[in-house]
Amino acid sequence: MILQMNNIQKQFDGLEVLKDISFGVDSGEVVSIIGPSGSGKSTLLRCATFLETIDGGEIQYMGEKAVHTDESGRTVYVNQKELRRFRSYYGLVFQQFNLFPHYSILRNLIDAPMVTQHRSREEATETAMDLLTKMGIADKADAYPFQLSGGQQQRVAIARALAMKPEILFFDEPTSALDPELTGEVLKVIRQLAEENMTMVVVTHEMAFAKAVSNRVLFMAGGVVVEQGTPEQVFDNPQEERTKQFLRVFER
Amino acid sequence: MTLETMIITMSSGMLEAIKIFTLTLAGALPFGMVIALLKKSRFFVIRAIVSAYISVIRGTPLMLQLLAWYFGPYYLFGFNIGNWRFPALIMGFICNYSAYFAEIYRGGIESIPVGQYEAAEVLGYTPAQTFNRIILPQVIKRIMPAVTNEIITLVKDTSLAFSLAYAEVFSLAKQISASQASFTPFVIAGTFYFVANYVVEFILKRIEKSMDYYK
Ligand SMILES: Nc1ncnc2c1ncn2[C@@H]1O[C@H](COP(=O)(O)OP(=O)(O)O)[C@@H](O)[C@H]1O
Ligand SMILES: [Mg+2]
């Protein structure tokens, strides 16, 4: 298991947003998370990436505990330095890209590997240029984020996450901020990564895409995983009424 | 007194004004950042002290603050104010301008989207690296227009040193004008402030422009 989350609980001022969620991701797996807005999908990714602290449960990367709830019911994280080591296991692609506007595209890709992973400039640059080539934007290396379209910016964001050589990549609605005609180019690179067996967890509203690339689909609603299974199981033969209801909206 | 003599007599005052200006910036630009960061402290007491400091500074005239710095130690502790004039002046200016810079910095820091912090955190930057490499450069770009305004005000505010009878341009202009029964010294002083501001603005605009490469 690359990632294992057990009995995750999260509240926002009394509101239970994640209710005892457990799920794991194996190496090479692509897991899609679907569900209505407000169901806790982003919160789950934010807990997995330590942007939010959990109120209860356990998170492991590569079999190592980053946080757990002890016998007395206290939820304990490893210290900040250890957490930063855990961060090198994963990357996160945001809905809003969050590129660094004052850095060129190349610098966006090489700064963190050089500063936080102490890689040499040569190595970081080589990795970065390979990734930009793969994303089809090598000619933009010296441009700045504001000069790129949304689809190009999101591909840079994916490349920036990959430049850290993570074991697993999380996507939170990577195409939701894009104009419809630009979603295709971003979905294409994610699909390409899936073909290369990159381990990924993708929160998405693109059902056709989820069906095509995932090994497993999780349907979340109201802070719980209502149903999960292969794309065929969840999309073609859902068992739960809530899943059927949700999918009907998309079929129209 | 010829025009030339007047200018030469006043040039020492011009140097003093430049000295006040430079030392104030050298102190207030960094000290303002310290205050801005303290105002975001986790501890309520620190935040409260800093807030009170900023409101007092902003709510009272700079001239009064300069007088307080100069006479305060004498009245409070019987401190000999012999060589205290210049240090008092600089302390007064730095403390005043720090408060204004702090508010500008704070506004700039708060204007940076939280997504920038989150992206940096996930990429493994430490909080200090995030601030220095990701946040601060963007803050500097955003606050340059406000900082420029403040610096231009400072050029003119150096004339307030006359309230401690410190021999800068304006004090000298007043003295010479009285002794020579002439308005010319004030024209010279005005020209000095205008030219100094022109140069300062030119330099700051260049700095602003140098950050135009991104939005
Ligand atoms: N920082 C927060 N503070 C308070 N409530 C939040 C916060 N983040 C999310 N929530 C609430 O948690 C619930 C789940 O949100 P989210 O995880 O963003 O759902 P999804 O991504 O599935 O749309 C929503 O009701 C949302 O309002
Ligand atoms: Mg969301």
Side-chain angles (χ1 to χ4, degrees):
Chain A
M1 284 290 179
I2 303 260
L3 166 69
Q4 182 65 49
M5 298 178 89
N6 294 324
N7 310 102
I8 303 299
Q9 293 170 18
K10 175 67 185 173
Q11 305 189 346
F12 286 115
D13 353 277
L15 175 74
E16 264 194 284
V17 174
L18 300 179
K19 303 168 184 164
D20 201 41
I21 287 199
S22 297
F23 98 112
V25 185
D26 247 331
S27 181
E29 243 191 327
V30 178
V31 179
S32 291
I33 301 179
I34 59 171
S37 149
S39 57
K41 306 180 298 296
S42 295
T43 306
L44 184 64
L45 290 199
R46 292 172 59 82
C47 288
T49 51
F50 311 138
L51 289 174
E52 300 285 354
T53 52
I54 59 174
D55 300 321
E58 183 177 273
I59 300 175
Q60 295 181 10
Y61 279 95
M62 318 301 285
E64 278 182 87
K65 272 189 200 133
V67 51
H68 71 280
T69 303
D70 65 17
E71 310 81 53
S72 61
R74 274 189 333 128
T75 303
V76 241
Y77 278 83
V78 294
N79 64 37
Q80 283 301 322
K81 203 168 162 228
E82 283 289 290
L83 270 188
R84 271 196 291 283
R85 190 170 57 76
F86 275 98
R87 288 195 178 103
S88 68
Y89 291 142
Y90 62 78
L92 172 61
V93 175
F94 300 84
Q95 188 175 333
Q96 300 294 342
F97 331 137
N98 295 339
L99 295 177
F100 302 134
H102 58 307
Y103 283 172
S104 71
I105 299 307
L106 181 65
R107 181 87 183 270
N108 263 280
L109 266 64
I110 65 173
D111 196 69
M114 284 165 51
V115 173
T116 73
Q117 298 183 332
H118 309 290
R119 294 211 233 127
S120 72
R121 179 177 288 273
E122 295 69 37
E123 193 209 327
T125 306
E126 202 184 309
T127 309
M129 289 313 298
D130 285 348
L131 284 167
L132 289 177
T133 306
K134 205 161 124 184
M135 300 288 149
I137 36 178
D139 58 325
K140 301 290 183 195
D142 296 324
Y144 284 83
F146 80 95
Q147 297 166 314
L148 271 56
S149 72
Q152 292 171 327
Q153 289 191 47
Q154 192 59 303
R155 282 182 280 156
V156 172
I158 296 172
R160 178 177 70 175
L162 288 169
M164 304 293 285
K165 308 204 159 138
E167 301 288 339
I168 179 171
L169 204 49
F170 297 99
F171 296 80
D172 191 0
E173 300 195 26
T175 58
S176 293
L178 299 177
D179 294 333
E181 72 271 19
L182 298 179
T183 58
E185 59 189 66
V186 171
L187 296 180
K188 205 178 106 195
V189 303
I190 302 176
R191 190 177 302 214
Q192 193 184 334
L193 291 171
E195 278 157 18
E196 294 166 13
N197 292 321
M198 180 75 206
T199 311
M200 296 188 284
V201 176
V202 188
V203 171
T204 185
H205 289 301
E206 302 281 343
M207 297 301 154
F209 166 80
K211 198 170 168 179
V213 301
S214 330
N215 304 107
R216 194 147 50 93
V217 177
L218 261 69
F219 171 66
M220 271 182 78
V224 297
V225 177
V226 174
E227 183 163 357
Q228 63 171 308
T230 63
E232 292 73 27
Q233 284 168 341
V234 175
F235 287 114
D236 301 336
N237 193 14
Q239 300 300 305
E240 302 290 330
E241 192 47 45
R242 291 227 49 186
T243 320
K244 290 178 193 166
Q245 219 179 2
F246 175 74
L247 291 173
R248 268 202 296 277
V249 177
F250 277 88
E251 269 159 24
R252 270 190 257 137
Chain B
M1 208 186 242
T2 65
L3 179 67
E4 204 184 328
T5 348
M6 277 186 193
I7 294 176
I8 290 168
T9 316
M10 286 174 69
S11 66
S12 72
M14 295 177 194
L15 273 182
E16 290 305 320
I18 291 169
K19 213 158 94 186
I20 296 169
F21 174 82
T22 314
L23 289 175
T24 302
L25 278 191
L29 284 173
F31 191 50
M33 183 57 79
V34 174
I35 296 174
L37 293 176
L38 285 178
K39 198 164 178 196
K40 297 178 80 72
S41 160
R42 280 182 293 144
F43 304 107
F44 171 77
V45 180
I46 294 181
R47 289 201 306 271
I49 293 172
V50 171
S51 295
Y53 171 80
I54 292 176
S55 20
V56 169
I57 294 283
R58 297 214 300 182
T60 56
L62 173 54
M63 194 190 292
L64 191 70
Q65 290 166 26
L66 294 176
L67 291 171
W69 276 101
Y70 186 47
F71 294 112
Y74 168 74
Y75 286 119
L76 289 174
F77 317 111
F79 184 85
N80 178 4
I81 50 179
N83 290 321
W84 179 240
R85 195 189 305 271
F86 187 68
L89 202 56
I90 296 302
M91 292 301 284
F93 269 105
I94 289 180
C95 287
N96 180 274
Y97 272 82
S98 301
Y100 285 93
F101 285 136
E103 285 297 277
I104 294 174
Y105 293 156
R106 191 175 61 86
I109 292 171
E110 284 173 2
S111 76
I112 305 297
V114 66
Q116 292 289 301
Y117 291 91
E118 294 185 343
E121 186 179 326
V122 172
L123 288 167
Y125 290 98
T126 63
Q129 287 167 341
T130 302
F131 187 74
N132 292 329
R133 307 181 70 86
I134 309 299
I135 306 302
L136 190 57
Q138 299 184 55
V139 168
I140 291 174
K141 178 184 165 82
R142 289 186 188 206
I143 63 174
M144 264 321 273
V147 169
T148 300
N149 267 337
E150 223 35 69
I151 294 179
I152 283 169
T153 307
L154 173 60
V155 172
K156 294 176 280 182
D157 271 357
T158 56
S159 63
L160 287 174
F162 98 98
S163 58
L164 301 192
Y166 190 74
E168 55 69 61
V169 189
F170 192 71
S171 311
L172 290 184
K174 242 181 107 191
Q175 279 171 26
I176 300 171
S177 168
S179 68
Q180 302 290 315
S182 156
F183 191 71
T184 317
F186 288 119
V187 177
I188 297 172
T191 311
F192 165 75
Y193 289 118
F194 184 79
V195 171
N197 255 331
Y198 193 86
V199 172
V200 165
E201 202 171 339
F202 178 80
I203 294 170
L204 291 172
K205 283 279 177 288
R206 285 287 285 266
I207 297 175
E208 234 176 275
K209 263 233 158 70
S210 75
M211 288 183 283
D212 267 356
Y213 64 90
Y214 74 92
K215 286 205 180 89

